Amino acid sequence: MSSAYIGRLAPSPTGALHLGNARTFMIAWLRARSQGGRLVFRMEDLDHPRDKPGAAAAAVEDLKWLGFDWDEAFVQSERKDLYRDALERLHAAGCVYPCTCSRKDVENAQSAPHAGEQLFYPGTCRGRFASWAEAADAIAPRTPCWRFRVPDGTVVRFDDVFAGPFEQDVSRTLGDFPVARDAFGAGYTLAVAVDDALMGVTEVVRGDDLLAATPAQILLYRALGYEPPAFCHVPLVVGTDGRRLAKRHGDTRIASYRAAGRTPEQLLGQLAATCGWGDGSPVSLRDLLPRFTLETIPHAPAVWTDPAALPAMS
Ligand code: GLU
Ligand code: ZN
């Protein structure tokens, strides 16, 4: 049973890999390998305005340097036909419709100040256009997007392996969420659901910044006729100010530690200590296998206590 486990490592090439990313990947890798499971590597490079040239190759180099391996590798930008097929299936099933609203329109339609990244969409364009072409004509030269219809009272519940029971009424939090930014260009949410299903991923281990985006993904799995995987959302690494690890906390890029002469074992030892797997002494990924357990990982974000660039490693 356990060897049927398939996990994944899915970096986005939007910047250099830092300690926070490495910690999440370390947990995902150990979770799969400690039960004899397989791992797919997936480069999530569909976010063109934010993707940085060279970041994809650099992420692979950083991960290999740290000792990560995987059984198969995929690049999302080479899989657009699959996302287009999925979009066509959703369209044929009446699950999506074209929307001509600009970001400003959607922002103006918010009834309450919005905290998260995704805006609530009140369904303005539902039933408004008979076809994509009609919507496209109406706002040329701008391009409509495709939105997924979320009927009132669509409550999604799932039991997160790490975070526990989670419930969200998607019709109230997101409304009809976008699945493609133009006629065929699948966005992140759709691509992830299609890929996890086609790659046979049985469990998604990732940062808990994506916990609230999971119910929308689950709706897509269901609409496409796929069984959703299990989800295991782990806390992010934050600085001493409680904010997500970023440039302001100093240089925590893996490549910078490597350039400064740190070893993978030093970094992994420190990260493992934040998971309750040892005292911070240097250790390889493989040597962590027998220590791996989700039980000791704190539910609060991991605080990187020395925010100065390149803190001293033991
Ligand atoms: N590529 C996404 C990120 O780096 C993660 C997506 C996922 O794990 O589902 O934020
Ligand atoms: Zn609209």
Side-chain angles (χ1 to χ4, degrees):
M1 193 63 193
S2 61
S3 60
Y5 186 102
I6 302 180
R8 50 27 163 231
L9 307 174
S12 295
T14 49
L17 213 71
H18 58 70
L19 278 175
N21 310 126
R23 182 183 191 257
T24 305
F25 290 139
M26 173 183 75
I27 297 169
W29 188 92
L30 291 167
R31 174 88 174 149
R33 296 306 195 204
S34 66
Q35 50 190 306
R38 294 170 58 78
L39 271 165
V40 300
F41 176 87
R42 184 166 79 224
M43 186 52 69
E44 304 205 317
D45 58 347
L46 292 179
D47 193 1
H48 297 301
R50 291 178 60 227
D51 288 350
K52 303 232 165 36
V60 172
E61 197 184 333
D62 291 346
L63 287 172
K64 293 209 158 147
W65 178 74
L66 285 168
F68 288 95
D69 65 357
W70 43 84
D71 304 292
E72 261 184 297
F74 300 93
V75 178
Q76 283 190 329
S77 58
E78 295 168 0
R79 298 168 58 79
K80 290 184 180 170
D81 288 353
L82 295 167
Y83 312 140
R84 180 159 89 176
D85 290 348
L87 190 58
E88 278 169 3
R89 283 210 280 137
L90 293 175
H91 185 230
C95 297
V96 293
Y97 62 86
C99 160
T100 56
C101 299
S102 65
R103 184 169 174 96
K104 194 109 219 100
D105 295 334
V106 182
E107 275 170 8
N108 290 340
Q110 304 300 300
S111 54
H114 199 82
E117 264 171 43
Q118 267 195 295
L119 297 169
F120 173 75
Y121 181 73
T124 320
C125 296
R126 244 199 228 187
R128 193 162 157 204
F129 302 102
S131 66
W132 173 269
E134 190 188 315
D137 280 351
I139 55 158
R142 278 203 304 121
T143 315
C145 69
W146 286 109
R147 286 186 181 274
F148 185 83
R149 197 186 297 271
V150 182
D152 279 354
T154 302
V155 179
V156 176
R157 294 184 185 83
F158 67 99
D159 244 319
D160 192 89
V161 173
F162 188 82
F166 190 79
E167 179 178 304
Q168 187 186 87
D169 182 340
V170 183
S171 61
R172 288 167 153 271
T173 52
L174 292 182
D176 297 345
F177 56 87
V179 289
R181 71 180 120 251
D182 54 39
F184 299 119
Y188 159 75
T189 313
L190 179 58
V192 163
V194 169
D195 280 348
D196 284 338
L198 296 183
M199 294 169 191
V201 169
T202 60
E203 186 179 87
V204 170
V205 179
R206 61 186 179 188
D208 64 8
D209 52 327
L210 288 167
L211 185 57
T214 304
Q217 287 174 18
I218 290 176
L219 292 178
L220 290 177
Y221 284 102
R222 290 187 193 153
L224 291 164
Y226 300 129
E227 176 76 24
F231 291 93
C232 178
H233 287 92
V234 295
L236 299 177
V237 180
V238 298
T240 42
D241 57 358
R243 295 164 75 187
R244 192 199 293 203
L245 208 59
K247 285 207 180 88
R248 71 181 91 91
H249 298 115
D251 188 353
T252 66
R253 291 174 298 178
I254 302 304
S256 305
Y257 288 108
R258 182 173 60 215
R262 308 288 192 243
T263 66
E265 291 77 16
Q266 286 173 323
L267 293 179
L268 289 165
Q270 298 277 312
L271 291 175
T274 69
C275 296
W277 311 325
D279 59 6
S281 7
V283 65
S284 73
L285 209 44
R286 243 152 261 283
D287 288 341
L288 282 171
L289 282 167
R291 292 190 211 167
F292 172 77
T293 170
L294 290 176
E295 310 267 301
T296 54
I297 302 177
H299 280 255
V303 181
W304 192 249
T305 46
D306 188 347
L310 293 169
M313 295 278 162
S314 55

